[in-house]
């Protein structure tokens, strides 16, 4: 039963991490006698290494899995990684660039070989780091979004959607990243405010000696203007609708149109319409049958402009155009202006809306089904506040641009029939798992595959079904047993990118939701509330925290702060406090084990506890209460409440109170008395270890095994069942005793009396009901408040050299020599202010008719007692002040 004097977290965490993997503690097989509880991990990009967001997300999932396993569920937590299309290609391109190589030097096949090699060498980094924090994943089921099984799922999904007519190719305005040279979906664009300018430009009227002034943030796109627009309700300009303007710098004729989408308060209320490079302008153009002129290419360079601007990038063209507008007297003024600018979510380059031929997925019907699933509570959000934003987004969703112009990813399974010169024929494209043998239209046998790849999120959307064999095995028993999954745990930043897509696809392909619950957590921020980023130099690396404080400390600090749905702020002090908590658990356990040695064997403790004193009854009731709260919190994904409740119970109630109160009996020579109290200490300790194990698995596993040699590890133990004893009265009795002890300790501290000094006390009885309670338990007061003797009485006059406190239905006089009168007055005045505030609060409650009518009688009674106690206290303090 030996325990090291100091907790060596590095040694313990290494040993238990290895044990769980080698013994396949969290491996799952189909067991029809057990109810499954399944989680699929949000697959991290292969480019990633463990950051605080990953650590939080993984810890919350692990806590849920461990809790459910202890409840008897057949738990499965599926690990895996995402190929991370654009991100991964960018990483490899940067590595090649250092060698002076660009991807085109290698060609597609050789470049992809390089990516696969890089993935093989480094792609499992984050999975290995998840092992460091003790994640109970089934490591026999590691999946990758581009492995063979997932590739089959992707092809099957695409082909089915294509055959249903939901996937189509079309030329539309898309979000284009010039840096990554690919289209992006709307939700892959991140917006941030940028300080810029608003340029006011004169557009001359053709048939009048006048002009209109247009305000714009993009003067360089003037060459793509095919109209200007006003709001139909704007009386300033209604007479100009359909009039012709001369476009500055090129003199091309364009007309004035009207549309309610125009904001009358923006600039002058007149806006330029550039259909090829602005989404709103594109909509106006469709309604008014306007021409579309492309003036920016896929590299972000100017095209179809006067020669002097050809080939300039956007920023260069802007400077030249503004200079020329000013020179030709078209520019009337420039104002500072801050507006929202879209950037690529991977490389942060500015997005250019461009007209491009892409593959799209019609999601209208899918979105309706996904909304209905949430409204019908087939899937439930925790917290519920995220339900409405999710629905609003789905209700306003445009068709999904699913094609990407990169090389790394799932190549779109579309094949084109080509002639002998490799030119595409007019035959319809064919969706197929493999290259077709014959064209069903012209009987040709030559085909080329579509060059584009699918959006990364396409394969991610299939994750909850593809990991169980959908697309590869039509009769997958895993899919039938483990699916739908039980809960998705994820951050709110990918609700739209991923969560909604999974619901859409799962309903489409399995007719069921992918998960019953959606637990949304926040983003981990620094102590100032700022998002962690390398540019701000505020990144806290979880690996550094593990090295310094241990994985359990990392996990506990994160969960304790993780209120569902809300961002969390992390401090260095959070991890230090968590490490100290781990040490507290270790030291308390070691103290108990050292005392158990006197029994000769831990098995000598009583299996059935027998509370014989108030403290025993009280700690049992408190434990039963915390057990009920913790179970409810786990079930509702309030893991933060679990951490806080256990912390408060163990540190304050168990260690600071019960262990201290039990020391008298543990020093007793009667072995039966010692066994009785140690039995309760061990019973509560084991229970706390089980409650805490899902959050701090390493230290709890270690101590549990010391307490339970040759028995099941804690991860496979049965979670304690909630039950309630008959000792409820002990709570109020114990509070009375605790109140007295705390008040005496506080008084001694304020009077600068050492806590070790033994003094006498007089207890003047104010409440007869409390006298018996305190007399029966005065040994607790003597022990913890260091009182050598207590004399009870009624109408005791305050002794000359004494200090006063009022607690637990008593006036308590501590007999002192040389009391500092002024200091005592000052202390009593502070207590008086607190007592008078309590009187005011309770009077306000009792005068509130709504409270008195609606509150439970027991609550009203509590307030009445508080009022009575506070009133007596005020009276007695006034008497003491008068005495002084």
């Amino acid at each position: 039963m030996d325990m090291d004097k100091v907790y060596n977290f590095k040694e313990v965490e290494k040993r238990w991490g290895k044990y769980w993997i080698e013994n396949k503690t969290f491996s799952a097989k189909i067991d029809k006698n057990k109810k499954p509880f399944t989680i699929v991990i949000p697959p991290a990009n292969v480019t990633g290494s463990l950051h605080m967001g990953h650590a939080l997300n993984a810890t919350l999932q692990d806590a849920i899995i461990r809790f459910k396993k202890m409840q008897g569920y057949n738990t499965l937590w599926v690990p895996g990684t995402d190929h991370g299309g654009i991100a991964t290609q960018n990483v490899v391109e940067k590595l090649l660039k250092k060698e002076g190589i660009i991807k085109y030097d290698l060609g597609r096949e050789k470049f992809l070989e390089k990516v696969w090699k890089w993935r093989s060498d480094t792609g499992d980094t984050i999975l290995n780091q998840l092992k460091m924090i003790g994640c109970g994943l089934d490591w026999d089921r590691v999946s990758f979004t581009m492995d063979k099984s997932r590739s089959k799922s992707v092809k099957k999904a695409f082909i089915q959607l294509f055959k249903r007519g939901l996937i189509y190719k079309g030329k539309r305005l898309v979000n284009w990243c010039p840096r990554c040279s690919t289209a992006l979906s709307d939700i892959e664009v991140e917006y941030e405010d940028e300080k810029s300018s608003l340029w006011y430009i004169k557009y001359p009227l053709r048939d009048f000696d006048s002009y209109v002034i247009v305000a714009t943030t993009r003067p360089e796109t003037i060459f793509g203007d095919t109209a200007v627009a006003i709001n139909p309700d704007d009386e300033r300009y209604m007479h100009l609708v359909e009039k012709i303007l001369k476009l500055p710098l090129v003199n091309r004729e364009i007309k004035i149109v009207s549309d309610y989408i125009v904001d009358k308060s923006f600039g002058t209320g007149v806006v330029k319409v550039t259909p090829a490079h602005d989404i709103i302008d594109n909509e106006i153009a469709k309604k008014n049958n306007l021409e579309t002129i492309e003036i920016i290419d896929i590299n972000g360079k100017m095209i179809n402009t006067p020669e002097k601007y050809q080939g300039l990038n956007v920023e260069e063209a802007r400077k030249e155009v503004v200079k020329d507008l000013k020179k030709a007297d078209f520019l009337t003024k420039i104002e500072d202006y801050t507006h929202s600018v879209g950037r690529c979510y991977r490389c942060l380059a500015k997005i250019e809306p461009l007209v491009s031929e892409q593959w799209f997925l019609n999601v209208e019907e899918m979105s309706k089904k996904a909304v209905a699933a949430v409204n019908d509570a087939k899937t439930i959000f925790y917290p519920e506040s995220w339900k409405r934003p999710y629905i609003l987004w789905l209700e306003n969703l445009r068709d999904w641009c699913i094609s990407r112009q990169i090389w790394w990813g799932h190549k779109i399974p579309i094949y084109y029939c080509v002639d002998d010169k490799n030119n595409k024929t007019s035959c319809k494209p064919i969706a197929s798992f493999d290259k077709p043998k014959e064209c069903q239209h012209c009987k040709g046998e030559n085909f080329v595959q579509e060059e584009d790849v699918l959006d990364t999120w396409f394969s991610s959307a299939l994750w909850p079904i593809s990991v169980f064999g959908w697309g590869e095995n039509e009769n997958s028993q895993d899919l039938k047993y483990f699916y739908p999954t039980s809960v998705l745990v994820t951050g709110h930043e990918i609700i739209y990118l991923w969560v909604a897509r999974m619901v859409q696809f799962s309903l489409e392909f399995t007719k069921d939701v992918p998960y019953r619950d959606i637990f949304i957590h926040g983003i981990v921020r620094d102590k100032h509330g700022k998002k962690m980023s390398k540019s701000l130099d505020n990144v806290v690396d979880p690996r550094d925290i593990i090295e310094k404080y241990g994985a359990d400390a990392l996990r506990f600090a994160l969960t304790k702060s993780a209120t569902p749905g809300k961002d969390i702020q992390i401090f260095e002090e959070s991890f230090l406090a968590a490490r100290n908590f781990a040490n507290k658990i270790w030291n308390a356990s070691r103290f108990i084990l050292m005392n158990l040695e006197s029994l000769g064997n831990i098995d000598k403790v009583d299996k059935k506890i027998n509370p014989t004193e108030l403290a025993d009854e009280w700690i049992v009731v408190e434990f039963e209460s915390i057990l009920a709260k913790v179970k409810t919190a786990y079930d509702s994904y309030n893991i933060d409440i679990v951490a806080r409740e256990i912390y408060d119970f163990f540190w304050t109630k168990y260690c600071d109170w019960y262990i201290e109160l039990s020391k008298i009996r543990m020093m007793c020579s009667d072995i039966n008395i010692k066994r009785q109290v140690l039995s309760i200490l061990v019973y509560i300790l084991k229970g706390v270890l089980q409650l805490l194990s899902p959050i701090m698995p390493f230290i709890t596993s270690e101590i549990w095994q010391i307490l339970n040699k040759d028995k099941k590890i804690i991860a496979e133990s049965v979670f304690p069942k909630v039950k309630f004893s008959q000792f409820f009265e002990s709570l109020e009795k114990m509070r009375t005793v605790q109140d007295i002890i705390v008040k005496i300790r506080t008084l001694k501290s304020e009077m600068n009396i050492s806590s070790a000094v033994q003094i006498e006390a007089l207890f003047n009885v104010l409440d007869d009901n409390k006298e018996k309670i305190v007399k029966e338990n005065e040994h607790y007061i003597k022990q913890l408040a260091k009182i050598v003797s207590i004399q009870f009485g009624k109408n005791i006059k305050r002794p000359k050299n004494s200090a006063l406190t009022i607690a637990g239905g008593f006036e308590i006089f501590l007999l002192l020599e040389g009391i500092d009168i002024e200091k005592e007055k000052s202390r009593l005045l502070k207590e008086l202010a607190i007592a008078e505030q309590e009187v005011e609060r309770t009077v306000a409650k009792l005068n509130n008719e709504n409270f008195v009518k609606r509150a439970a009688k027991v609550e009203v009674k509590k307030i009445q007692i508080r009022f009575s106690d506070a009133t007596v206290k005020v009276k007695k303090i006034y008497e003491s002040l008068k005495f002084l």
Side-chain angles (χ1 to χ4, degrees), residues 778-818:
E778 67 176 276
H779 59 294
Y780 293 152
I781 299 167
K782 288 178 178 177
Q783 179 190 352
L784 295 191
K786 296 295 185 283
I787 301 296
V788 68
S789 67
I790 299 175
Q791 181 182 333
F792 293 90
K794 293 185 179 178
N795 302 315
I796 298 175
K797 299 296 180 184
R798 180 173 181 175
K800 189 172 183 181
N801 292 321
S802 65
L804 166 73
T805 190
I806 298 168
F810 298 87
E811 261 186 314
I812 300 171
F813 304 113
L814 301 186
L815 304 182
L816 309 169
E817 291 295 330

Side-chain angles (χ1 to χ4, degrees), residues 55-333:
L56 170 65
N57 180 258
T59 298
L60 292 173
Q61 291 176 83
D62 193 43
I64 295 166
I65 279 291
R66 287 173 180 271
F67 167 66
K68 290 296 181 181
K69 185 176 181 68
M70 292 170 75
Q71 283 194 309
Y73 286 88
N74 186 14
T75 56
L76 170 61
W77 184 17
V78 181
T81 52
D82 192 284
H83 64 280
I86 296 171
T88 303
Q89 180 156 319
N90 282 346
V91 167
V92 177
E93 283 190 64
K94 286 177 182 176
L95 291 172
L96 291 173
K97 190 176 180 181
K98 291 178 181 177
E99 300 174 24
I101 302 171
I102 61 173
K103 64 182 180 181
Y104 300 107
D105 296 337
L106 297 173
R108 185 168 192 150
E109 295 308 314
K110 292 290 184 184
F111 175 78
L112 289 178
E113 286 177 15
K114 292 280 187 183
V115 183
W116 277 108
K117 174 71 167 58
W118 178 87
R119 189 263 165 189
S120 176
D121 292 343
T122 64
D124 289 336
T125 298
I126 195 162
L127 295 180
N128 293 326
Q129 290 166 347
L130 289 174
K131 293 173 184 176
M132 288 172 58
I133 60 174
C135 289
L137 290 147
D138 185 341
W139 295 107
D140 293 330
R141 292 177 178 263
V142 176
S143 297
F144 175 53
T145 54
M146 272 182 65
D147 61 26
K148 287 182 180 179
S149 181
R150 261 44 64 187
S151 293
K152 288 178 181 177
S153 297
V154 167
K155 287 178 180 178
K156 179 176 179 177
F158 183 94
I159 292 166
Q160 285 189 12
L161 293 169
F162 182 80
K163 288 181 177 178
R164 291 176 200 172
L166 295 175
I167 289 178
Y168 61 94
K169 195 171 190 180
K171 203 167 186 181
R172 271 181 32 182
L173 195 68
V174 297
N175 304 297
W176 187 268
C177 174
R179 159 64 186 79
C180 298
S181 294
T182 185
L184 300 174
S185 66
D186 291 344
I187 48 179
E188 291 175 306
V189 180
E190 295 183 349
Y191 291 89
E192 63 178 35
D193 287 343
E194 180 179 273
K195 290 180 179 179
S196 182
S197 299
L198 197 58
W199 287 270
Y200 289 78
I201 304 168
K202 289 190 287 189
Y203 281 55
L205 285 155
R206 183 189 66 183
D207 303 321
F208 303 91
D209 187 18
S210 185
Y211 54 82
V212 294
I213 296 178
V214 173
T216 181
T217 58
R218 300 206 65 181
E220 73 279 3
T221 63
I222 195 168
F223 307 112
D225 292 359
T226 55
V228 299
I230 63 156
N231 188 297
D233 291 337
D234 195 334
E235 295 177 356
R236 295 173 295 174
Y237 306 112
M238 276 305 298
H239 63 289
L240 295 175
V241 175
E242 295 298 323
K243 296 293 188 290
I244 304 300
L245 296 168
K246 291 290 191 77
L247 190 62
L249 300 182
V250 292
N251 221 29
R252 175 162 46 82
E253 292 184 357
I254 60 174
K255 67 178 179 178
I256 300 174
V257 298
S258 64
D259 196 295
Y260 284 106
I261 203 167
V262 177
D263 181 359
K264 292 188 289 184
S265 65
F266 175 76
T268 60
V270 184
V271 297
K272 61 199 286 297
V273 180
T274 318
H277 301 289
D278 185 274
I279 291 171
I280 292 174
D281 293 2
N282 194 262
E283 293 300 317
I284 295 173
K286 288 175 185 176
K287 295 176 193 174
N288 291 276
N289 199 27
L290 300 175
E291 183 185 3
T292 297
I293 302 173
E294 297 177 44
I295 57 145
I296 301 173
D297 69 9
I298 61 173
N299 299 309
K301 305 287 187 180
M302 304 301 289
I303 56 172
N304 300 324
T305 65
E307 190 174 347
K308 70 173 293 186
Y309 309 107
Q310 290 274 8
L312 297 180
N313 65 38
V314 169
E315 296 298 328
E316 292 168 341
R318 180 176 297 174
K319 289 177 185 176
E320 290 301 314
V321 168
V322 169
K323 186 169 68 175
D324 291 345
L325 287 169
K326 197 171 186 179
K327 187 176 179 181
D329 198 30
F330 287 116
L331 193 64
T332 63
K333 67 174 178 176

Side-chain angles (χ1 to χ4, degrees), residues 31 124 166 266 387 456 597 620 633 652 661 692 787 859:
D31 183 348
D124 289 336
L166 295 175
F266 175 76
K387 174 182 172 181
T456 297
E597 288 176 1
V620 168
T652 305
L661 291 171
L692 188 58
I787 301 296
E859 291 300 318

Side-chain angles (χ1 to χ4, degrees), residues 721-732:
K721 287 189 167 49
V722 177
K723 56 185 177 182
F724 296 101
S725 64
Q726 70 275 31
F727 304 126
F728 284 112
E729 288 184 3
S730 64
L731 291 174
E732 197 57 45

Side-chain angles (χ1 to χ4, degrees), residues 416-427 446-448:
Y416 301 99
C417 178
V418 294
D419 59 25
D420 294 338
K421 295 181 180 178
N422 225 33
N423 295 318
K424 291 180 186 176
T425 67
S426 59
C427 298
N446 294 328
F447 295 91
V448 292

Side-chain angles (χ1 to χ4, degrees), residues 391-533:
I391 290 174
L392 283 172
W393 183 78
L394 281 170
E395 288 176 340
N396 293 281
L397 191 58
R398 299 193 306 161
D399 286 358
W400 178 10
C401 176
I402 57 172
S403 49
R404 298 291 179 271
Q405 289 65 52
I406 57 175
W407 290 351
W408 173 247
H410 291 279
K411 210 170 181 184
I412 293 177
I414 285 287
Y415 292 86
Y416 301 99
C417 178
V418 294
D419 59 25
D420 294 338
K421 295 181 180 178
N422 225 33
N423 295 318
K424 291 180 186 176
T425 67
S426 59
C427 298
K428 290 182 180 178
I430 301 169
S432 174
F433 278 91
D434 302 301
K435 183 182 285 191
K437 292 181 179 178
E438 182 182 81
C439 176
Q440 55 192 341
H441 305 291
C442 72
K443 306 304 179 183
E445 296 180 352
N446 294 328
F447 295 91
V448 292
Q449 189 175 352
E450 170 65 59
E451 291 293 310
D452 290 354
V453 300
L454 286 166
D455 177 7
T456 297
W457 297 102
F458 191 97
S459 53
S460 299
L462 292 165
W463 186 248
I465 58 177
S466 68
V467 295
F468 297 119
W470 183 90
E472 183 179 38
N473 181 359
E474 295 303 317
N475 297 305
S476 169
Q477 294 305 304
D478 276 355
L479 189 66
K480 291 176 182 177
Y481 179 74
F482 289 113
Y483 179 87
T485 66
S486 305
V487 60
L488 173 74
V489 183
T490 189
H492 58 67
E493 71 275 17
I494 55 171
I495 288 178
Y496 314 124
L497 275 168
W498 189 47
V499 178
R501 301 295 195 203
M502 285 190 286
V503 176
Q504 289 174 322
F505 272 24
S506 293
L507 286 169
E508 184 69 20
F509 298 119
T510 71
K511 310 304 179 190
D512 205 345
V513 292
Y515 23 73
R516 300 304 181 202
D517 297 336
I518 303 172
F519 169 27
I520 302 295
H521 61 74
I523 296 170
V524 183
R525 299 183 179 275
D526 71 6
K527 61 183 178 181
H528 303 296
K530 293 181 179 178
K531 192 172 180 178
M532 292 186 185
S533 70

Side-chain angles (χ1 to χ4, degrees), residues 365-377:
E365 287 304 313
M366 289 189 207
S367 296
K368 289 177 183 177
K369 291 174 186 175
V371 168
V374 172
N375 283 332
D376 295 342

